[in-house]
Amino acid sequence: MTRTRCDRTAAWGQLTTHYESAGRNLDLRDAFAQDPQRFERFSQAAPFVFADLSKNRIDAACESLLLDLARQSGLQEHRDAMFAGDKINSTEQRAVWHVLLRNPPAAPAGIAQTATGLIAVEQAKVHATLADMLDYAEQVRSDAAITDVVNIGIGGSDLGPQMATIALDAFATTGKRLHFVSNVDGHELAATLSHLKVESTLFLIASKTFTTIETMTNARSAKAWFEAQGGTDTARHFAALTTNVAAANAFGITTTFGFWDWVGGRYSMWSAIGLPLAIAIGAEGFRGFLAGAHAMDEHFRTAPLESNLPVRLALIDVWYRNFHGFTSRSIAPYHSALRRLPAYLQQLEMESNGKRVDASGEALPFGTSPVLWGEPGTNGQHAYFQMLHQGTDIVPVEFVAVKKARHSLPSHHALLLSNVLAQAQALMLGKSDVGGHKHFPGNRPSTFLLLDDLTPESLGALIALQEHRVFVTGSLWGINSFDQWGVELGKVLAKDIEPRLASGDVAGLDGSTAGLLRLLRS
Ligand code: F6P
């Protein structure tokens, strides 16, 4: 597999020229006036997701150069290497194979057809574990004595299952209360425990490594609480979701569901880490979630680049980040059940692509991950949309809307949908006013993702879409999107500081940290 960093392709230079001559000044209002087919030309149907890209600052020439950039950088080979299970996570020498977790057992097409012996072996492990995990989920669902399930995990062992469980609340049929405890801040666990009873609680300790300090601290405190309240049956009340089954056993947990080192933490909710979601929506729902993701995997794997939605989205991301210089993207899900989507996407994109060196360790001469942020609409409109419409920075917005409502309250959904359309329209059209304060410059770009309905299948597809889009930008940037060394230094320093808080020893500390430590001890 040959990868060429995007800035070393011929297309990069051509894009630079195109940006200077036309791209920089593209006005969306003129673009629509000149091309009655713009909506059709710049929209893309993919499994469960329709995307309107037409309100982005691109034209046919620009998109064609961006597609050249993708081809010249070796994107297709890199994508195929991921699907084939090659060790593309080069700094950790691991495969990146979350797509295998959603590959159906007898897939008529896709990974299974190109199966090597290794794929067949891994696939068999995946399906055996999935079957065990889903049997267990059904067991818990039918166990009336368990009323509360507490997931203890952080990062990928929290954000994905939490986001999806909230998103699919309309499909939660058990009546069990799901809690997510992630922060080492004891306020979180203490508040959760204060509502629980030992005999009716199941703790899921979710940690790929089973070493993460926050999760281990919370797990130890949960176990201590359980024992202090007279709990003895750990096998019934604790389960571990981890690649490190030995550590879970040593911790005293015998009910375990495993996964593998080729599943990255932020790509793990399709594995045993998805157990809270499976308990909430049941085995069939969870299989639907995997099927939706698989449909998007197949789209990404087989659709030509020019009609490949993850690719088209990612190319716009590169265009904005590296040519227009936009530094952030705002996520605006117009569905309250998608309220944790921005937080989930922050880890997916910023932990994957927030890198300053390429895969060979060389410093990059261009920007990588934008800042992702957002809140559900319409709430965001009454908070920071002022800045989106009239601020000095241009922030591309990604709207996510769902056609169908799953409530019967009259007029709400039409109002919600009118607002999402109006916001995208207002950003683009703007409004002239001589007074200055009431002037909206317009020409502010947005993408509009539309789902027919928010279901396990469509959520799976939406998330797989985002995973692949992040893959494509990382691939073009020439970085390794699958490690996260940037989180390590803070962890090491915290270990050094913790005993100093008790002892007061500030020797060797910088002046600020020493000063703050003294204050905290006084
Ligand atoms: O610190 C970052 C990180 O390693 C994430 O990548 C990961 O999702 C999270 O911590 C939790 O890790 P684990 O599942 O091993 O507890």
Side-chain angles (χ1 to χ4, degrees):
M1 175 193 50
T2 321
R3 289 176 71 188
T4 306
R5 213 173 73 191
C6 56
D7 60 319
R8 294 176 175 149
T9 62
W12 184 266
Q14 292 164 329
L15 278 161
T16 308
T17 308
H18 177 77
Y19 176 74
E20 294 302 336
S21 62
R24 182 206 294 275
N25 296 319
L26 186 140
D27 190 297
L28 290 166
R29 295 154 291 200
D30 297 343
F32 273 99
Q34 284 157 16
D35 182 2
Q37 296 302 308
R38 185 172 171 86
F39 175 74
E40 287 73 22
R41 207 185 303 284
F42 293 104
S43 55
Q44 182 65 57
F48 300 98
V49 185
F50 174 86
D52 172 18
L53 311 173
S54 66
K55 290 201 230 43
N56 282 293
R57 290 192 187 180
I58 48 170
D59 57 16
C62 172
E63 204 181 33
S64 155
L65 287 173
L66 287 166
L67 287 163
D68 288 346
L69 186 74
R71 289 188 197 98
Q72 291 169 16
S73 72
L75 171 67
Q76 286 128 304
E77 293 82 350
H78 195 207
R79 174 195 63 193
D80 294 347
M82 174 174 76
F83 277 89
D86 290 358
K87 294 190 173 173
I88 62 167
N89 175 355
S90 51
T91 61
E92 297 178 311
Q93 275 305 301
R94 287 177 183 165
V96 173
W97 233 358
H98 43 279
V99 291
L100 199 65
L101 298 169
R102 47 233 194 181
N103 202 42
I111 301 170
Q113 221 170 47
T114 59
T116 63
L118 178 62
I119 291 178
V121 170
E122 295 298 302
Q123 179 91 72
K125 288 198 282 191
V126 165
H127 288 127
T129 309
L130 176 64
D132 286 353
M133 189 269 250
L134 293 182
D135 278 355
Y136 180 74
E138 287 299 335
Q139 218 176 290
V140 173
R141 281 164 62 80
S142 55
D143 185 342
I146 298 292
T147 57
D148 292 83
V149 178
V150 184
N151 189 80
I152 294 181
I154 196 164
S157 301
D158 166 67
L159 290 164
Q162 186 189 159
M163 175 276 295
T165 302
I166 294 171
L168 297 175
D169 187 51
F171 293 81
T173 46
T174 55
K176 299 203 188 298
R177 287 180 290 267
L178 269 290
H179 311 266
F180 289 85
V181 173
S182 52
N183 203 320
V184 74
D185 180 351
H187 293 105
E188 195 173 48
L189 180 62
T192 307
L193 293 178
S194 70
H195 301 295
L196 301 178
K197 292 198 175 69
V198 162
E199 61 280 9
S200 54
T201 301
L202 169 65
F203 291 99
L204 305 176
I205 312 302
S207 175
K208 177 176 173 182
T209 54
F210 226 77
T211 57
T212 304
I213 191 90
E214 292 90 336
T215 301
M216 291 301 102
T217 305
N218 281 324
R220 269 193 300 275
S221 298
K223 196 150 163 272
W225 171 86
F226 176 79
E227 286 162 1
Q229 307 282 314
T232 50
D233 194 351
T234 316
R236 174 167 163 71
H237 292 278
F238 282 80
L241 322 174
T242 183
T243 60
N244 191 353
V245 171
N249 292 157
F251 184 85
I253 300 180
T254 49
T255 310
T256 59
F257 299 93
F259 55 109
W260 306 274
D261 73 349
W262 45 260
V263 182
R266 52 193 173 275
Y267 300 87
S268 65
M269 71 167 140
W270 322 97
S271 71
I273 292 293
L275 181 57
L277 176 65
I279 291 174
I281 65 172
E284 203 187 324
F286 194 81
R287 286 195 187 275
F289 180 60
L290 298 180
H294 177 67
M296 189 60 77
D297 293 342
E298 285 302 280
H299 169 77
F300 178 51
R301 197 178 66 81
T302 61
L305 297 191
E306 57 275 16
S307 51
N308 193 310
L309 184 54
V311 173
R312 292 186 82 183
L313 283 173
L315 292 177
I316 295 172
D317 293 342
V318 169
W319 177 237
Y320 285 164
R321 185 74 188 96
N322 300 125
F323 297 90
H324 282 277
F326 302 153
T327 54
S328 86
R329 180 163 80 246
S330 188
I331 313 296
Y334 274 66
H335 195 303
S336 68
L338 291 173
R339 61 187 170 276
R340 292 295 287 165
L341 183 66
Y344 167 80
L345 291 177
Q346 280 176 339
Q347 186 197 16
L348 179 64
E349 186 143 350
M350 293 160 76
E351 198 173 73
S352 296
N353 286 345
K355 312 279 165 71
R356 53 171 288 284
V357 295
D358 68 16
S360 66
E362 196 180 318
L364 291 167
F366 51 78
T368 59
S369 176
V371 177
L372 261 69
W373 55 286
E375 281 287 322
T378 58
N379 298 15
Q381 291 174 208
H382 299 274
Y384 53 78
F385 269 51
Q386 161 67 38
M387 178 265 202
L388 297 180
H389 288 288
Q390 289 187 315
T392 49
D393 289 283
I394 292 180
V395 179
V397 181
E398 187 148 302
F399 294 101
V400 184
V402 181
K403 196 167 146 188
K404 180 176 167 184
R406 285 185 169 264
H407 62 77
S408 53
L409 296 172
S411 75
H412 285 252
H413 206 58
L415 203 52
L416 181 73
L417 294 180
S418 324
N419 268 277
V420 65
L421 288 174
Q423 289 300 323
Q425 196 184 28
L427 285 166
M428 174 174 74
L429 296 182
K431 179 174 166 286
S432 287
D433 191 281
V434 280
H437 297 291
K438 294 182 182 172
H439 178 75
F440 290 70
N443 200 28
R444 302 211 160 187
S446 66
T447 291
F448 199 106
L449 301 181
L450 180 62
L451 312 182
D452 264 346
D453 192 3
L454 185 56
T455 62
E457 288 78 7
S458 68
L459 183 71
L462 178 69
I463 300 307
L465 167 68
Q466 299 289 352
E467 288 178 346
H468 295 321
R469 166 220 211 133
V470 169
F471 173 87
V472 175
T473 46
S475 179
L476 266 59
W477 284 331
I479 62 186
N480 177 5
S481 301
F482 301 101
D483 58 12
Q484 55 284 319
W485 298 107
V487 301
E488 293 305 320
L489 177 60
K491 292 184 191 174
V492 173
L493 295 182
K495 268 196 188 143
D496 170 64
I497 291 174
E498 196 194 345
R500 293 173 184 265
L501 270 169
S503 68
D505 174 16
V506 294
L509 288 181
D510 63 273
S512 167
T513 309
L516 290 169
L517 196 139
R518 281 196 203 95
L519 269 180
L520 283 167
R521 280 176 47 79
S522 65

